[in-house]
Amino acid sequence: MPPSGVPVPHAGGPGAFGALRDQLTDAAAAFAGSPGALAEILTGMIDDVDRALGERLEIFPVCHHSPASALAMARRLRAKRPKVVYLELCEDLQPLLGELRNCRLPVAVQAFASKLDGFPAEWAPLSVVAPITEASAEYQAIAYALETPGVELVLVDRSVDHVFQWAPRDPAEGPAPSSSDAPAAAEEEAALHGDAVGVEIGDLRPRFAELESYLLHHGKVRHWSEWWDQYVEQPLVAADHETYRQVMVLIGSLFRRLRPADADRLDRDVERERYMWTRMRQHLAASGVDPADCLYVCGAFHAASPVEQFGTGPAAAPYEISPRTATRWLYGLIPSSHSAIEAQFGLAPGSVSIAAATWAKAVSRSGVAPFRLAGQAGGRPAKGRARRAAQAEAADGPVTDRLSGFLARPPVLDALDEAELRGWCVDIVRLARRNGYLASTADAIAVFETSILLVGLRNRARPTPYDFADAAVTCIEKDVVPGRRDVRRLCEILLGGDRIGQVGYDALPPLARDVLDRLAPLGLDLDKRTIQRALLDLTADPAVAGCSDLLWRLRHLLPRDAVRPIMGERRLGERSTQESWDLALGRHQRALIELGYEGVTIEQVLEQRLRRRAWGPRATAAVALEAVEDALLLLDGRRLVDELGARAVELLAAERTVDEAPEVLRRIRRLLAHYRATEPTLPPWCAAFVTTGYAHYCTLLPSAFVDAETGVRQVGAMLGFLFGMESLALSLGCDRTQLELAVRQSRPEAPARVALHWAAQHHLGLLPLAQLRARSTELLANPLVVPAFPQYLSGFVQALEPVPGLTPFVVEVMSTAFARLPDPVLLPWLPTLITTLRAQAGELVPTLVREAGRTFPAALPALDAWVPPWTHRPAGGAVPTPGPGSAAQPVAAVAGPVVDLLAGHPATCDAVADLLGCAGDWALGSAGAGPAVSGPGGTGSGGTGSAVAVEAAGLLTAHPATADALAALLGSPTWRAAPPGP
């Protein structure tokens, strides 16, 4: 190694790094016993450095979000003043960079595509983001090129379309969500990038797991971000330009040579380098600019490239860039954050915030004036400061071997800054107390001493932010976290915080600007990230009615916590007069911006979403009906509703299963009720849906009853559709015989389906209530059937949907079971009953409870004397007549069950007598005596009884349909009462 101050040949000559090459070869031979593979790797790294630094087009290697790279970039740009800056970033993102002036960093440049052409449909939507922070070399290059007249910025990396063309994933799985195996973020801000693919300049990390593990173990650190900050970032912050370049290329060459043989990743890296050098050659040939006046900013990994297209000399092999697909890409800016960048690129939590703090400290110490875009926070630096920084780096002499000296001496580390560490300790205790920790001054002292102890154990001179965070967690955090944030998160906030960017109004897409303009009457600052309360009085201020409509539409399109109603609701036929909303549009700016990629207005996007949902590959009749309901609630237009309704009819007719029958029934009932209340006639699609559904479910009913994969709930919903829509379907031309045949052809075997089938037969008049009661009694009397009786009961409960008139019978069956079953049978049976009802009929149980409340006595004392109505049935024959010549003689023709019914429920007769003005007490006499009625003056079968009989006979004669229905219900023949006599 030459002594300090002795000039060495220019890089690229035969002896530029000769001494270092020989030294490494000898070291490899001494270490391995012979100059073999290790010597080849070490000397190859020197060759890569020699080749990169010998190129006429200056290559500037960087690492993403590295303060050292950003500081070295600012120095070099002020010293060299290049006329063209080539930047490793997707070339089709370049038109967006000027919009960074209207944003607050960090933000991400995004490309988005929802309609794919040339990619598998399963990948949709596709999204690519390139986050940009102020403490990054790419931002310094962008700000310099955009703010310096006469400087051209050229993005040379492959296009966004090629990112997915080269994706190695299986088409059925979709492209990789990020360029690294990033862990899922726990906080909301970490999801600002969504599932977009991350593209970032300078991805510099070992791709050989054993190498990274070795470095972390011997560096006494926990993760890669801490190792990089300790052993690369801090030593290079104050390094000169040549030292920085040589060290970065050396590291990139090391990671490139020590990596597994991943053919896919290797091919992508090589293709990217060929692509970038081909684009630079094309630009140099077209512009005629001197390569010496250009600067190529790329990741250190790509600076040590072995491709044939490397350099500006004659290309050894031509490279043909493949054409893009026909996919239409949309571009914009979305907000980003430090935590989102860390989550997407697999960095340690807090590392980007620490890098931002390191950048601010390095700028303050070094006096370098960084570049900033006009209009952003901080403004442009002072001209005198910038001039001094440029003069300090103006000399651009021959490149010397700085690697030898850098590798031979240990880095100069800062001494312990007790004032800084003391301030950290006091602030973390104060912050911990605000978040619920019982921290005190003793904890601050403990954190101070523990930080110094950790530094000594790790062979460091100054505590890093990572050392301080470890000490704070050790001394302050106890068994539980009292609030939302743990101590490590508090340290991240203390050392820099999670800075969240924002896209300015002028950089927003038209849809987002339209939303903000239409919500202006609310008088809120919607750019804030805090939750704001909006109060809307639609009666007193009709001007906010448009805001209400827009908020309901945004509620449908944006995340739930972006637009959240507190008071008020919107249902079919219902509109609130007052509404209260919690708005967090500033926090969900990314979601609002991505809506702008789909249309120009919210209404257009909503209509497209509804159409896509109804015509999607997984669309069903229930999904289409949901889209119809949303269109009625949120959009003004009959045309879209009719199209979606016609689509629902098509989907219903094409379905071969009845899995969504309950949802279909619920939605079509609600829609029919809405149209009946608001329109004179039903829309054609509604009528078609009813008739199609009636025929469709009649066809599928026999197979659904026996299909083991079809649940009882689905069969009950089918019957609910058929019985509930029966009158409407028959009026529209359907045939009831089809339903009767479907029920007769059904042969269920499962207990729940058998009970449901009995209920259907009873509704159609094929099974009288007396026979249904007899069958349930037989089930309870059979000890072999008792264990399965909860399933029968579940079927009866499901029958309440299509046959609500069976509710008293179901209460009767359940009460009879509890009364007759012995405790050894009943107690094991109860858990099965409860779980069955909860799983299969949870929403129908309240109906049973209400019916039981009407049936059973309301007071506890009355329970002892209460007799169930279904057990009190005294035997009786025909109704006796009052006597010869009485006008009540025709009443005697009524069958005996009617007498039983009247005797079992005397309160009903008393109520009817009061209604007719014939109040009095009566009692059932002996057979043939007839009903004895007592008037106010006494008892007997005198004139008052005759009057009651005459009026009752007249009532029955005037309304025979009621008596016929009652007779059919009781299983008696139909009768007609003769006209009353004189």
Side-chain angles (χ1 to χ4, degrees), residues 805-829:
L806 279 181
T807 305
F809 171 74
V810 177
V811 173
E812 172 187 341
V813 172
M814 189 176 296
S815 302
T816 304
F818 277 90
R820 294 185 180 180
L821 293 177
D823 289 345
V825 176
L826 183 62
L827 294 180
W829 178 66

Side-chain angles (χ1 to χ4, degrees), residues 9 30 122-123 125 128 142 197 246 299 320 369 409 474 528 619 711 718 841-842 844 851 858 937:
E122 294 81 5
W123 288 12
V128 170
I142 292 170
V197 173
Q246 293 174 22
E320 182 179 355
R409 66 175 180 269
T474 302
K528 293 182 179 179
M718 293 174 63
L844 298 175
E851 181 63 27

Side-chain angles (χ1 to χ4, degrees), residues 168 181 207-208 256 258-270 301:
D181 297 330
R207 297 176 184 175
F208 190 50
R256 191 182 189 98
L258 295 180
R259 63 176 178 175
D262 186 351
D264 292 335
R265 187 63 179 264
L266 178 62
D267 292 342
R268 291 203 303 275
D269 292 333
V270 171
F301 188 87

Side-chain angles (χ1 to χ4, degrees), residues 730-753:
L730 295 180
S731 67
L732 294 174
C734 295
D735 188 1
R736 192 172 191 266
T737 307
Q738 187 179 8
L739 175 58
E740 294 180 356
L741 290 176
V743 173
R744 290 178 182 273
Q745 291 173 357
S746 301
R747 295 291 185 269
E749 297 180 358
R753 289 178 171 83

Side-chain angles (χ1 to χ4, degrees), residues 837-855:
L837 293 177
R838 181 177 182 181
Q840 300 182 9
E843 73 283 357
L844 298 175
V845 171
T847 305
L848 292 175
V849 174
R850 287 193 297 269
E851 181 63 27
R854 289 191 293 264
T855 303

Side-chain angles (χ1 to χ4, degrees), residues 427-510:
D427 291 340
I428 191 59
V429 168
R430 182 184 299 113
L431 193 58
R433 291 184 64 85
R434 292 177 183 173
N435 284 269
Y437 288 91
L438 299 179
S440 62
T441 306
D443 294 304
I445 298 173
V447 173
F448 183 89
E449 297 295 339
T450 305
S451 300
I452 297 177
L453 176 63
L454 289 177
V455 168
L457 295 175
R458 295 169 179 175
N459 296 327
R460 301 172 186 171
R462 178 192 183 99
T464 66
Y466 301 97
D467 299 325
F468 166 73
D470 291 342
V473 170
T474 302
C475 299
I476 298 178
E477 192 164 86
K478 305 302 186 289
D479 294 338
V480 295
V481 177
R484 293 175 51 195
R485 302 183 178 101
D486 57 11
V487 174
R488 192 170 298 280
R489 176 60 180 153
L490 296 179
C491 292
E492 295 172 13
I493 296 174
L494 173 66
L495 298 172
D498 185 15
R499 185 175 302 173
I500 302 172
Q502 187 178 40
V503 179
Y505 178 86
D506 295 331
L508 291 173

Side-chain angles (χ1 to χ4, degrees), residues 24 99 131 241 374 465 506 515 525 546 548 841:
L24 292 178
E99 297 293 340
H241 173 63
D506 295 331
V515 168
D525 186 3
S548 174

Side-chain angles (χ1 to χ4, degrees), residues 711-713 752 790-791 793-795 797-798 834-845:
V712 181
R713 181 182 178 86
Q791 300 297 326
L793 190 58
S794 174
V797 174
Q798 291 291 345
I834 295 173
T835 56
T836 302
L837 293 177
R838 181 177 182 181
Q840 300 182 9
E843 73 283 357
L844 298 175
V845 171

